[in-house]
Amino acid sequence: MTGDPAFSTGDHHHALSPSPPPNLLITMEEGSQNSEQLFEDDGNELEMEGNDIDIDSNSLDIEGNGLDIESNGLQDDCDGMLEIDDNHESNRDDATAVSIENGIFQGKNYPPPAVGMEFESYDDAYNYYNCYAKELGFAIRVKSSWTKRNSKEKRGAVLCCNCEGFKTIKEANSRRKETRTGCLAMIRLRLVESNRWRVDEVKLEHNHLFDHERAQNCKSHKKMDAVAKRKVEPTVDVEVRTIKLYRTSMADPVGYGNLNSLEGEISETVDRSKRLKLTKGDSQIIYDFFSRIQLTSPNFVYLIDLNDESCLRNVFWMDSRSRAAYGYFGDVVAVDTMCLSNKYEIPLVAFAGVNHHGQSILLGCGLLADDTFESYVWLFRAWLTCMSGRSPQTIITDHCRAMQSAISEVFPRAHHRLHLSHVMQSLFENLGELQESGVFQMILNRTVYETVKVDEFEMGWDDMIRRFGLADHAWLCTLYEERERWAPVYQKDTFFAGMCTFENGECRSSFFDGFVHKQTSLKEFFGKYELLVQEERKIEAINDLESRDSSPLLKTRCFYELQLSKLYTNEIFRRFQDEVVMMPCFSITQVHANGPVITYMIKEHEAEGDRSNIKNFEVMHDKAGTEIRCICSCFNFNGYLCRHCLCVLHYNGVEEIPFQYILSRWRKDFKRLYIPELGSNNIDISNPVQWFDHLHRRAMQVVEEGMISRDHYTVAWQAFKESLNKVRLVADKHV
């Protein structure tokens, strides 16, 4: 067992082995506690070097691909259509500005680092982070790096804030002022197969104030030559084409989607396949709905796509709450095309995420004329534009070639995965009589759901194909070629936030399940839409109150259970609690050690009371970096540690779960203000539009806080009255 690659995945540059290669020399910066450890398994001989390193190269400037949405609402003087401009536009000025949102500092000219950013070279990546740091007011250094042995080819690095770590005892006795605070802000870079440098880990939060003056004099910033700066941009998904919004007169009593048709007139030459399939009065229903919602929600946005005959082709809409929720829960997004693929009366496509209660939340809706590549590209670009160009980490969809190509076009660096439950369902539907075979179902389920290594899956699949004579089944061969998009064993480095449960293939992705049926009309849908959305938000508010005011019942004496009962929302805690209850494992054995990195073998029974079938799980633990990873990949799949990792932590006397494994997206005390991101705190004082955006955002923050309780409401209302009186006094002085 120990000779097998424990963490083999389809994405080999992310693969992990049971232990780092024996020739991987690791040297961390002296005095650095919380040192970072990288597990590599690319077959290369690597060498680490990690003294305070400053790369002498020209500093780089990053010019954001601004997404130009001409209006949050609609322009009254235009009667046109949605346009997609191939040219990137940027309305940013040259002034440096810094904003603070949710405790994260963001530069105006340099977007915060994010997992998935890629750069042409290491120097580009270093200089981007250096420029970002300088703008905010902190310095950076190379905490550690690794190169190929007997070569100077760099393979990866960790760049950290200059305040990382603490002085050694020797340094503490010197007269130099203490500047280190144990800050954890950092980015981890690694060279990937495309010979590009990718950011694969980010920590943005600092534990100290910024000092622009002192930062300017640090080594990393002194090397910056302002005259020789060249513009470099991280290739993150902020490069969607500009989408401009215009008012469109949608009412058409007879034309069924022809916006300019007259009473009783509709051209027979219009290609009906390239326009939205509507019945009489449907376009008026859409228009009335959008108009009514916009009156009560100023940040509601809708996009209209017209064909060459000015007929309605595609529609997209999103409300203010969804736009704001994406900022907290946009890491994993499912695209629900059930209505479109099954030919429902209403051609609905919905974007869904999961909130801090594991509850499905709506992140946008669309109506599409067809399921072609062009329609999906329009829809995804429209949605991404409303999300300020921020691509999700993971996108989950049905098995559709056109949609797959569109995602590659619009979200090139997102992890695209397929609904496992839908894949399994279609698999049975395409195998004729075999779908009735209990033996075949058992073998298939065991191969897909229970294998933990790639070679186990592939051997099991080959045995299944031979046993049931499926070698010439073309559809099955095609599905197997795409196995890295749906088989759990290939997805251990993909974060799913609990949206998919790989034990049984279920997926919490359909927001409208049970509310929209094949015969549901557009009028019925929009009649239910607001009620359903309100019900979703009501349930979330109730869950917030219950999680905040109740104490979950503990089932064990394990301190990990007590620790997270105080932090997680009730639903997420219940899921984690199931892992704690199953913690007593059959045995734990140390099988390999390489310095602080130790690999353990956990043996557990497959079923309660069945002592004959035993499953083995390998867990890698880095004591120095307090990092732990299990071959079952529960943390990536569900967002919390598995029972196997908990066993190893307990075995090593670790009394608390390390903070990096307690995600803020699950915490009940994490402040969430459901108001959209409207830009920087720094505004152009000559621009009235920016006045409105800035004041509206701050007012909505007071509204959100004022809804917490009756006392909060009273204070907020009093503050509004006092503010209004003060503003009127200012106005009176200028009369």
Side-chain angles (χ1 to χ4, degrees):
M1 199 77 195
T2 57
D4 296 334
F7 294 95
S8 176
T9 70
D11 191 1
H12 296 294
H13 57 269
H14 284 296
L16 302 181
S17 62
S19 61
N23 51 13
L24 178 64
L25 302 184
I26 304 173
T27 306
M28 294 299 175
E29 176 193 357
E30 184 180 0
S32 174
Q33 303 177 3
N34 307 321
S35 297
E36 300 290 342
Q37 172 80 35
L38 180 74
F39 305 124
E40 284 284 343
D41 185 27
D42 58 3
N44 295 320
E45 297 180 346
L46 303 176
E47 185 172 1
M48 298 284 294
E49 52 190 39
N51 297 325
D52 282 339
I53 303 170
D54 282 297
I55 304 301
D56 187 7
S57 56
N58 294 333
S59 61
L60 307 182
D61 212 357
I62 295 187
E63 186 179 78
N65 276 338
L67 293 172
D68 181 18
I69 298 182
E70 289 201 348
S71 172
N72 283 333
L74 301 170
Q75 297 184 12
D76 293 331
D77 57 347
C78 295
D79 219 21
M81 60 182 173
L82 175 142
E83 297 181 358
I84 299 182
D85 187 355
D86 289 340
N87 299 320
H88 306 300
E89 298 181 17
S90 177
N91 292 330
R92 298 180 177 182
D93 53 32
D94 296 329
T96 299
V98 177
S99 68
I100 304 175
E101 298 298 340
N102 302 322
I104 305 299
F105 292 82
Q106 302 182 13
K108 181 177 180 181
N109 294 325
Y110 302 94
V115 173
M117 280 184 171
E118 291 188 357
F119 300 85
E120 295 293 338
S121 68
Y122 169 76
D123 287 351
D124 286 354
Y126 177 92
N127 285 317
Y128 151 71
Y129 194 51
N130 199 24
C131 291
Y132 166 77
K134 183 177 181 181
E135 181 179 281
L136 265 64
F138 70 96
I140 70 169
R141 68 173 186 275
V142 180
K143 180 179 181 181
S144 61
S145 64
W146 44 101
T147 59
K148 197 171 182 180
R149 187 178 291 279
N150 301 323
S151 135
K152 293 186 178 180
E153 181 185 358
K154 195 179 293 291
R155 305 289 297 178
V158 173
L159 309 182
C160 67
C161 173
N162 208 33
C163 293
E164 186 273 344
F166 298 96
K167 283 184 178 180
T168 62
I169 296 177
K170 180 179 178 181
E171 292 172 331
N173 292 331
S174 69
R175 295 184 177 180
R176 294 182 61 184
K177 181 181 178 182
E178 173 63 278
T179 58
R180 299 196 181 185
T181 63
C183 181
L184 297 176
M186 53 76 74
I187 63 171
R188 188 201 302 272
L189 303 163
R190 62 189 297 168
L191 186 64
V192 296
E193 290 177 351
S194 57
N195 208 31
R196 295 168 65 84
W197 283 82
R198 177 179 298 163
V199 177
D200 68 356
E201 183 178 354
V202 173
K203 294 178 183 176
L204 294 178
E205 294 86 352
H206 296 259
N207 66 355
H208 55 88
L209 298 176
F210 291 159
D211 186 338
H212 287 269
E213 184 176 349
R214 187 174 68 82
Q216 301 298 320
N217 297 320
C218 291
K219 288 190 294 183
S220 64
H221 298 329
K222 282 183 176 179
K223 294 180 180 292
M224 296 171 61
D225 182 3
V227 178
K229 279 186 181 180
R230 62 188 179 92
K231 305 285 186 181
V232 168
E233 192 155 344
T235 51
V236 72
D237 287 324
V238 293
E239 58 226 17
V240 293
R241 298 173 184 177
T242 300
I243 291 183
K244 301 177 181 179
L245 311 184
Y246 295 96
R247 175 179 294 279
T248 175
S249 54
M250 295 171 58
D252 61 280
V254 176
Y256 307 166
N258 189 326
L259 304 184
N260 296 330
S261 65
L262 299 176
E263 182 80 19
E265 295 182 1
I266 180 168
S267 173
E268 295 297 330
T269 63
V270 173
D271 187 351
R272 293 177 179 269
S273 66
K274 293 184 178 180
R275 63 187 180 93
L276 198 60
K277 298 173 180 61
L278 302 176
T279 58
K280 183 176 181 179
D282 278 353
S283 56
Q284 183 67 49
I285 291 171
I286 297 173
Y287 179 70
D288 290 345
F289 172 77
F290 289 165
S291 299
R292 177 165 48 83
I293 296 298
Q294 232 177 13
L295 289 174
T296 58
S297 179
N299 290 308
F300 175 87
V301 62
Y302 67 84
L303 307 178
I304 302 297
D305 179 29
L306 308 178
N307 63 17
D308 293 338
E309 291 79 25
S310 295
C311 289
L312 193 59
R313 183 165 53 188
N314 301 306
V315 180
F316 173 78
W317 72 93
M318 173 181 284
D319 62 25
S320 173
R321 171 95 171 206
S322 295
R323 296 174 69 189
Y326 180 80
Y328 302 113
F329 309 116
D331 43 11
V332 182
V333 174
V335 183
D336 182 7
T337 57
M338 177 185 64
C339 297
L340 196 63
S341 57
N342 293 329
K343 310 301 181 184
Y344 277 38
E345 185 76 18
I346 173 174
L348 176 69
V349 177
F351 296 87
V354 284
N355 66 5
H356 50 308
H357 301 290
Q359 171 193 354
S360 181
I361 56 173
L362 190 62
L363 298 175
C365 290
L367 301 174
L368 296 187
D370 50 38
D371 55 358
T372 60
F373 168 78
E374 291 76 17
S375 291
Y376 282 128
V377 166
W378 180 89
L379 178 70
F380 293 152
R381 283 185 177 147
W383 180 76
L384 190 57
T385 300
C386 292
M387 295 296 95
S388 301
R390 296 170 54 198
S391 170
Q393 295 179 33
T394 305
I395 300 176
I396 306 173
T397 72
D398 287 340
H399 190 201
C400 171
R401 290 285 188 185
M403 186 158 44
Q404 181 175 326
S405 299
I407 287 175
S408 298
E409 172 80 15
V410 182
F411 309 106
R413 274 163 290 281
H415 297 288
H416 178 207
R417 301 295 182 252
L418 304 179
H419 290 294
L420 180 56
S421 58
H422 297 181
V423 170
M424 296 294 281
Q425 180 181 348
S426 61
L427 193 153
F428 284 116
E429 291 173 353
N430 282 273
L431 292 180
E433 296 180 357
L434 278 178
Q435 62 183 296
E436 304 297 332
S437 170
V439 176
F440 175 76
Q441 291 187 26
M442 180 187 69
I443 294 176
L444 176 64
N445 288 336
R446 185 172 61 195
T447 301
V448 172
Y449 296 122
E450 297 181 16
T451 54
V452 293
K453 294 184 180 180
V454 169
D455 55 353
E456 291 177 359
F457 172 83
E458 294 179 348
M459 290 174 59
W461 187 275
D462 289 341
D463 290 342
M464 181 185 70
I465 295 298
R466 286 196 300 269
R467 179 170 179 175
F468 295 96
L470 298 172
D472 297 328
H473 198 292
W475 184 87
L476 202 60
C477 292
T478 301
L479 185 66
Y480 181 71
E481 290 174 0
E482 296 188 337
R483 61 193 180 279
E484 294 184 11
R485 293 191 186 275
W486 57 267
V489 73
Y490 294 96
Q491 302 177 20
K492 295 182 183 295
D493 288 321
T494 302
F495 184 66
F496 285 93
M499 184 172 285
C500 294
T501 55
F502 291 111
E503 290 82 5
N504 52 24
E506 292 181 0
C507 190
R508 306 176 182 90
S509 62
S510 181
F511 183 84
F512 294 105
D513 188 27
F515 294 90
V516 178
H517 307 282
K518 277 204 169 185
Q519 304 305 319
T520 301
S521 67
L522 201 65
K523 182 177 182 180
E524 290 175 308
F525 170 73
F526 281 121
K528 295 178 179 179
Y529 175 85
E530 288 182 85
L531 295 176
L532 181 58
V533 170
Q534 290 172 7
E535 182 65 20
E536 168 224 327
R537 292 166 187 175
K538 177 183 177 182
I539 292 174
E540 180 176 317
I542 293 173
N543 290 336
D544 282 343
L545 290 173
E546 290 179 349
S547 294
R548 187 183 66 189
D549 298 336
S550 64
S551 298
L553 181 64
L554 302 183
K555 297 182 179 180
T556 72
R557 295 183 178 181
C558 177
F559 187 80
Y560 306 139
E561 184 185 15
L562 175 62
Q563 178 190 6
L564 294 193
S565 70
K566 301 175 181 178
L567 301 176
Y568 279 170
T569 60
N570 288 352
E571 174 59 29
I572 302 303
F573 173 72
R574 279 192 286 267
R575 298 179 192 177
F576 171 75
Q577 193 176 44
D578 291 340
E579 296 293 325
V580 177
V581 170
M582 292 188 287
M583 258 186 68
C585 300
F586 183 64
S587 69
I588 177 170
T589 308
Q590 179 177 323
V591 296
H592 190 273
N594 188 350
V597 181
I598 301 176
T599 303
Y600 297 89
M601 182 71 70
I602 307 293
K603 294 178 180 291
E604 70 173 17
H605 301 297
E606 287 194 25
E608 186 177 353
D610 184 359
R611 309 191 70 84
S612 59
N613 294 324
I614 295 176
K615 295 187 69 174
N616 298 318
F617 296 89
E618 293 180 11
V619 178
M620 188 182 299
H621 182 219
D622 174 15
K623 292 184 178 180
T626 63
E627 295 185 14
I628 192 165
R629 180 165 181 179
C630 178
I631 195 172
C632 77
S633 200
C634 176
F635 183 76
N636 275 340
F637 290 165
N638 300 316
Y640 48 79
L641 289 181
C642 62
R643 55 192 177 274
H644 316 113
C645 288
L646 298 179
C647 281
V648 172
L649 291 176
H650 179 72
Y651 180 82
N652 284 274
V654 180
E655 296 183 352
E656 291 188 345
I657 294 176
F659 72 93
Q660 65 265 38
Y661 297 109
I662 304 175
L663 301 183
S664 61
R665 75 171 343 273
W666 301 138
R667 294 177 66 109
K668 57 185 173 184
D669 60 352
F670 187 74
K671 290 289 186 181
R672 297 173 177 88
L673 296 177
Y674 287 120
I675 49 179
E677 175 62 59
L678 295 176
S680 169
N681 286 327
N682 297 269
I683 66 170
D684 180 359
I685 60 174
S686 64
N687 188 339
V689 174
Q690 291 193 26
W691 298 351
F692 174 82
D693 287 347
H694 189 255
L695 291 173
H696 180 267
R697 179 174 177 79
R698 298 299 158 234
M700 288 304 296
Q701 285 181 330
V702 179
V703 171
E704 290 286 342
E705 293 284 349
M707 294 295 291
I708 294 176
S709 70
R710 182 173 179 177
D711 290 340
H712 283 75
Y713 163 77
T714 302
V715 172
W717 170 233
Q718 187 62 35
F720 274 134
K721 289 196 295 183
E722 293 176 359
S723 298
L724 183 59
N725 290 333
K726 291 179 180 179
V727 171
R728 285 173 173 169
L729 287 175
V730 173
D732 291 342
K733 292 179 181 178
H734 290 83
V735 173

